[in-house]
Amino acid sequence: AQSVTQPDIHITVSEGASLELRCNYSYGATPYLFWYVQSPGQGLQLLLKYFSGDTLVQGIKGFEAEFKRSQSSFNLRKPSVHWSDAAEYFCAVDPLITNNNDMRFGAGTRLTVKP
Amino acid sequence: EPEVTQTPSHQVTQMGQEVILRCVPISNHLYFYWYRQILGQKVEFLVSFYNNEISEKSEIFDDQFSVERPDGSNFTLKIRSTKLEDSAMYFCASSAQGRNEQFFGPGTRLTVL
């Protein structure tokens, strides 16, 4: 079945440590790929997106993500996590199978940052 | 910086009642969307809207749901007869183009009693 998978429901890291959040998708063609962050009580904010070209994309707040076609993955990374990064992170995919961008979201990964 | 706004932030209603959730998309955007997130579950696409008509809709978006752009600024989601399982956070989004970044509002939490 076509889907977006975020294998980690909850991750805890120490402040200053590196972070990697996993995302895999299962769609036939290479979709458009997005990472959104949701802080408590807030809407979804776009961190970064990949449409084509360089497979390593830079986003806001020091985040980056790497598209790996062979692994159907688009993992989000940050070299040094800050306490303010604690939030829910969603990987999203536009599978390019409809006329508009009706995105499909993963279940989310909740990030806790320890002092 | 322009942003998508949604009202109310929290709506409580009785089962069987009609609710209207309101959104003001970013002013120069042309594509509008509704998503919902049931507590503890993933964000799910409901419907997209362009040029005053529905472009795409998911299987969730049944006859109980409707969308409207009543004027040049608002974009509404109506649920005609709410059910308990409609309780969720509803997000509105807009984009300048059909395949591009979507900007999300803060959401309306709907509680059906």
Side-chain angles (χ1 to χ4, degrees):
Chain A
Q2 297 177 327
S3 66
V4 182
T5 303
Q6 292 180 247
D8 305 304
I9 297 173
H10 186 198
I11 284 183
T12 299
V13 300
S14 298
E15 191 168 15
S18 64
L19 171 71
E20 182 168 28
L21 304 182
R22 296 181 290 165
C23 174
N24 293 92
Y25 63 90
S26 58
Y27 292 92
T30 298
Y32 289 173
L33 299 159
F34 306 81
W35 274 100
Y36 282 85
V37 61
Q38 183 183 27
S39 298
Q42 303 295 313
L44 298 164
Q45 181 183 25
L46 182 72
L47 288 175
L48 44 76
K49 61 189 177 186
Y50 173 78
F51 289 175
S52 65
D54 191 346
T55 56
L56 184 64
V57 293
Q58 302 298 319
I60 62 171
K61 304 184 180 186
F63 285 92
E64 66 178 26
E66 185 172 12
F67 167 59
K68 292 186 178 179
R69 185 189 308 273
S70 61
Q71 298 176 18
S72 296
S73 69
F74 189 56
N75 293 350
L76 182 72
R77 300 194 295 248
K78 185 168 184 177
S80 178
V81 169
H82 188 261
W83 64 266
S84 61
D85 293 324
E88 187 96 17
Y89 291 81
F90 293 94
C91 179
V93 162
D94 175 0
L96 305 181
I97 56 177
T98 61
N99 292 327
N100 291 328
N101 188 351
D102 52 335
M103 289 196 293
R104 319 295 168 84
F105 283 80
T109 297
R110 183 158 57 92
L111 174 66
T112 298
V113 180
K114 294 190 302 185
Chain B
E1 184 175 331
E3 59 182 17
V4 177
T5 60
Q6 291 184 243
T7 55
S9 57
H10 191 188
Q11 174 90 46
V12 181
T13 189
Q14 296 290 324
M15 189 170 56
Q17 295 297 304
E18 174 184 285
V19 294
I20 298 176
L21 309 183
R22 290 184 167 77
C23 168
V24 179
I26 294 173
S27 62
N28 62 345
H29 284 185
L30 301 176
Y31 297 81
F32 314 111
Y33 311 83
W34 283 101
Y35 293 81
R36 80 170 185 192
Q37 183 182 28
I38 295 173
L39 186 64
Q41 299 185 25
K42 65 175 65 177
V43 176
E44 300 171 291
F45 167 76
L46 292 178
V47 64
S48 61
F49 191 87
Y50 170 71
N51 200 25
N52 282 318
E53 62 183 22
I54 291 174
S55 306
E56 306 286 348
K57 60 182 181 179
S58 71
E59 58 275 10
I60 300 168
F61 194 87
D62 61 22
D63 293 343
Q64 291 300 310
F65 291 89
S66 63
V67 289
E68 192 178 30
R69 188 154 164 83
D71 52 43
S73 59
N74 289 283
F75 179 52
T76 62
L77 174 69
K78 181 192 290 186
I79 308 175
R80 287 190 183 81
S81 178
T82 50
K83 303 186 286 287
L84 295 177
E85 53 265 38
D86 293 327
S87 295
M89 181 74 88
Y90 288 82
F91 292 105
C92 173
S94 69
S95 65
Q97 301 170 22
R99 309 219 94 87
N100 211 323
E101 174 185 352
Q102 292 182 21
F103 292 79
F104 283 79
T108 292
R109 180 168 296 285
L110 176 65
T111 301
V112 182
L113 303 176

